[in-house]
Amino acid sequence: MTSPATLTATAPTRPARAPGSVLALIVLGTGCLLPFAGASPLLLSLLVQAIIGAMLATGVGFLVRQNGMVSFGHALFFGLGGYVLGVPMAHGLLPPEVAVLLALVVPALLAFLLGLVITRIPGVAFSMLSLACAQTFYEVVLKVRTLANGDDGMSVTFPARLFGLDVGLLQDPRSMYLICWALLAAVLVGLWLFTRSPYGLLTLAIRSNEERARFIGYETVVPRAAVYALSAGVAGLAGVLATFYNGFISPDMMHWTLSGSALVMAVIGGTRAVWGPALGAVVFFFFKEIVGDATEHWPAVIGITLIVVTLCAPAGLSGLLARLFARRAA
């Protein structure tokens, strides 16, 4: 096995300063104060949905950042988290606590097993395979009406308490905002620490030059599958939170359009920074709400915005903010 020095030479070097990370920490800290600043329940409810979308986009963006792979099927893991939680609850198949744990584990486990196969295939072929897997599960939940009432979806009734906590906290906008914000912060910090770890550097080295990483003695398939599983686990957590907050599951949670929206969020925010897709998701969510109220052709406006961001700021909004913050600090 090669020495850490060899791996460091293979992987992209770490930046000397990370102003974007400092900016992200400031934003995460101030966000905790919003519910105590007189924000309305409507605004907090919208923010909860935006944060859940940010978590899904973070999973998609992390896969692009670490593996260099574009997924059109992450809605599979988002919806799977909701269904693994909601179906046992609705039919009384499992104790509620067990259903919650399975909803968090199953998406990541499925992604790891799929990743051992499909991450071997680079480029557009991987994107199409991820889309095919997601649409397969979408058709299953759509056609099997006994599972979750088909395309009509189904309401999910939760017990009064889970793990000793009041479930009502997960359906109140103020408390759910704080929970989602804290979980998003934990996810971003955890992923950031992963990117700085030796294993994270190994995945970056594999992304940069897989043949060289294999030549110096590293296994490349398992690290790619592990990153795929980690990104899917983040998407599954978002699906669990959405199910708790909405009390409803439907096949739309697995549709490819949701995967496409998450990818657009990641591109707008930028995937070079771990927190970039989360920023893009929040901007996308509120921009869509504002433009949607003004015109029914909001998808065209979103498309034009995506083109402008891609051409003018290839690193996304996070890269633009990081550069401005670095100049101001200098």
Side-chain angles (χ1 to χ4, degrees), residues 7-68:
L7 177 59
T8 305
T10 306
T13 57
R14 299 180 186 181
R17 295 185 300 172
S21 301
V22 177
L23 178 62
L25 291 176
I26 294 174
V27 172
L28 289 173
T30 55
C32 296
L33 304 176
L34 189 59
F36 308 102
S40 66
L42 176 60
L43 176 60
L44 291 175
S45 181
L46 291 174
L47 283 171
V48 168
Q49 299 175 57
I51 293 171
I52 292 173
M55 204 169 293
L56 173 61
T58 297
V60 175
F62 182 73
L63 180 65
V64 176
R65 185 188 191 279
Q66 293 298 122
N67 276 6

Side-chain angles (χ1 to χ4, degrees), residues 3-4 29 115 126 128 134 139 164 250 303:
S3 64
F126 168 81
M128 293 299 100
E139 291 296 329
S250 72

Side-chain angles (χ1 to χ4, degrees), residues 256-324:
W256 68 269
T257 54
L258 181 59
S259 300
S261 296
L263 182 59
V264 170
M265 296 173 191
V267 172
I268 291 176
T271 58
R272 295 183 185 177
V274 172
W275 55 272
L279 172 64
V282 175
V283 172
F284 175 88
F285 182 85
F286 285 99
F287 186 67
K288 183 182 74 172
E289 291 292 323
I290 295 172
V291 175
D293 291 338
T295 175
E296 62 180 7
H297 303 295
W298 63 266
V301 179
I302 296 292
I304 295 172
T305 304
L306 178 62
I307 294 173
V308 172
V309 170
T310 303
L311 292 178
C312 299
L317 297 178
S318 62
L320 182 62
L321 288 176
R323 287 202 303 272
L324 293 176

Side-chain angles (χ1 to χ4, degrees), residues 77-102:
F77 310 113
F78 179 85
L80 190 61
Y83 271 86
V84 173
L85 173 65
V87 172
M89 291 267 191
H91 297 288
L93 302 177
L94 294 170
E97 289 79 5
V98 175
V100 174
L101 294 176
L102 285 177

Side-chain angles (χ1 to χ4, degrees), residues 179-271:
I179 292 171
C180 290
W181 188 263
L183 287 175
L184 177 62
V187 166
L188 292 176
V189 171
L191 294 180
W192 182 82
L193 291 175
F194 176 86
T195 62
R196 264 58 181 176
S197 68
Y199 203 76
L201 291 176
L202 171 61
T203 59
L204 287 176
I206 294 172
R207 184 203 66 184
S208 300
N209 195 323
E210 183 175 2
E211 184 178 359
R212 178 177 294 180
R214 192 182 296 118
F215 177 76
I216 61 179
Y218 284 100
E219 167 64 39
T220 60
V221 175
V222 173
R224 282 184 176 273
V227 170
Y228 189 51
L230 187 56
S231 68
V234 174
L237 174 60
V240 170
L241 293 174
T243 304
F244 269 121
Y245 188 64
N246 298 321
F248 185 81
I249 54 176
S250 72
D252 290 340
M253 296 176 68
M254 289 188 178
H255 198 259
W256 68 269
T257 54
L258 181 59
S259 300
S261 296
L263 182 59
V264 170
M265 296 173 191
V267 172
I268 291 176
T271 58

